[in-house]
Amino acid sequence: MKERAIRVLGDTVINQIAAGEVVERPASVLKELVENAIDADSAQIDVEIVAAGGKLIRVSDDGTGMSRDNALLSIERHATSKIREAADIERIATLGFRGEALAAISAVSRFTLRTRVHEALAGTEIVISGGKVQDVRDAGCPPGTTMEVRNLFFNMPARRKFLRSEATELSHLKQTFMMYALAHTGVGLSFVVDGQMLWQLAGKTTLEERLKDLYRLGADARLCPVHYRVGDLVVSGHVGLPDRTRSDRSEQYLFVNGRPASSPALFAAIREGYHATIPRDRHPIVFLFLALDPGEVDVNVHPTKKEVRFRNPAAVRDAVSVAIRRALGGD
């Protein structure tokens, strides 16, 4: 058998492989772009979707914006303003930090970035197609950043075929938007789908008002407020009464330091908190927010940053279960 030659892959192939880890579907793109906008200290974030994200995902913000040099660096792999050295990974306080999302997204789409810092007279526009920079030019644009992702997976037809129906992909996009709208009530957000405004949410609001705007649950008497603190760990939010359950976890919203997150420890804590009040095959409705020292949380578990690990999972599990029991009127 003849030995096969080993070759170093080209940048285009490397970026497409990396994109496979970060960009699973249009909702993955929306997640990364909204996280960037929040990290940029934006007061307003506007989202526009066309054809369930297959034709267009546009996220505009009024945040800090970027100079031309920073804008060009932002589309390179492993380029980020969020961390400087390996030790910083132990205390991540931002939503993004891996420095690979924009490179991955632009590798599998027709991507346009427009950005301007507030003190500049003109901004910068960068046009990329399939990972290749097509143009870099001055642009007249408002302060902040707008990112447009068109024709997602146009250069990966096999990947495009694996996308679900428009209705399913739009459902995932809505879910992603709502998660970040709940986690960051200080930010105003809008969500437009195929030219129609679905949500226009005011900033500097409360969780209760956001719940009412998004789910019509703000005044629901069967949602119990959660307020519990032990040491530096704070658990807050709302939990549904045991008579309101679902067949899956689709209405369990968990946030750790403002980041939508999942963790086996949290799922176990929720089950313990409800104890024997619900059947094993049912899941309660919960909106839970954990705030703790960033050094106590590992968010660098997976490229999508979906799962977190706790330095002391037993303590977190106990705190969440106690918080739920007290909210429901237990000990």
Side-chain angles (χ1 to χ4, degrees), residues 44-58:
Q44 180 66 37
I45 300 173
D46 300 310
V47 176
E48 184 176 353
I49 303 295
V50 176
K55 288 187 177 179
L56 172 67
I57 301 169
R58 178 187 291 123

Side-chain angles (χ1 to χ4, degrees), residues 15-16 18-20 22-23 75 77 100-109 152:
N15 284 337
Q16 287 188 354
V22 177
V23 186
I75 58 176
R77 290 190 68 209
E100 58 187 358
L102 296 189
I105 292 168
S106 62
V108 293
S109 69
L152 185 63

Side-chain angles (χ1 to χ4, degrees), residues 88-261:
D88 294 339
I89 299 175
E90 303 297 323
R91 298 185 61 85
I92 298 295
T94 54
L95 295 174
F97 62 91
R98 297 178 65 95
E100 58 187 358
L102 296 189
I105 292 168
S106 62
V108 293
S109 69
R110 304 189 192 280
F111 180 81
T112 301
L113 165 64
R114 298 185 192 91
T115 187
R116 175 187 150 203
V117 295
H118 286 247
E119 60 271 21
L121 297 177
T124 298
E125 180 178 85
I126 302 174
V127 180
I128 304 173
S129 181
K132 297 180 180 179
V133 176
Q134 305 292 305
D135 201 359
V136 180
R137 54 188 174 232
D138 288 340
C141 56
T145 301
T146 295
M147 298 190 188
E148 294 181 354
V149 178
R150 298 180 183 273
N151 306 119
L152 185 63
F153 299 133
F154 80 96
N155 55 347
M156 299 180 71
R159 191 64 176 274
R160 195 175 181 91
K161 289 179 182 178
F162 276 91
L163 293 178
R164 302 292 184 175
S165 67
E166 284 198 6
T168 298
E169 296 300 339
L170 181 57
S171 176
H172 285 284
L173 286 160
K174 289 179 179 178
Q175 185 81 350
T176 298
F177 176 84
M178 291 189 290
M179 292 283 280
Y180 286 93
L182 282 174
H184 299 275
T185 57
V187 181
L189 299 106
S190 69
F191 191 76
V192 175
V193 176
D194 298 329
Q196 293 189 331
M197 179 72 72
L198 263 63
W199 289 294
Q200 190 159 20
L201 308 173
K204 298 180 180 178
T205 189
T206 65
L207 174 60
E208 289 73 20
E209 290 170 327
R210 277 284 162 90
L211 285 170
K212 184 177 181 180
D213 290 338
L214 292 169
Y215 299 94
R216 303 186 185 280
L217 291 173
D220 194 323
R222 290 184 293 174
L223 275 181
C224 304
V226 177
H227 301 287
Y228 182 71
R229 180 172 192 144
V230 54
D232 293 330
L233 172 59
V234 178
V235 184
S236 61
H238 289 74
V239 294
L241 289 177
D243 63 345
R244 299 195 65 189
T245 61
R246 298 290 183 266
S247 60
D248 55 31
R249 295 193 179 106
S250 61
E251 291 194 52
Q252 291 189 356
Y253 300 87
L254 308 175
F255 306 89
V256 177
N257 291 342
R259 180 191 304 279

Side-chain angles (χ1 to χ4, degrees), residues 261-276:
S262 65
S263 164
L266 294 180
F267 294 138
I270 292 169
R271 177 60 61 182
E272 286 180 6
Y274 280 86
H275 194 45

Side-chain angles (χ1 to χ4, degrees), residues 29-39 45 47 59 180:
V29 173
L30 181 61
K31 169 186 178 295
E32 299 292 345
L33 299 188
V34 169
E35 285 187 350
N36 280 346
I38 292 170
D39 282 341
I45 300 173
V47 176
V59 176
Y180 286 93

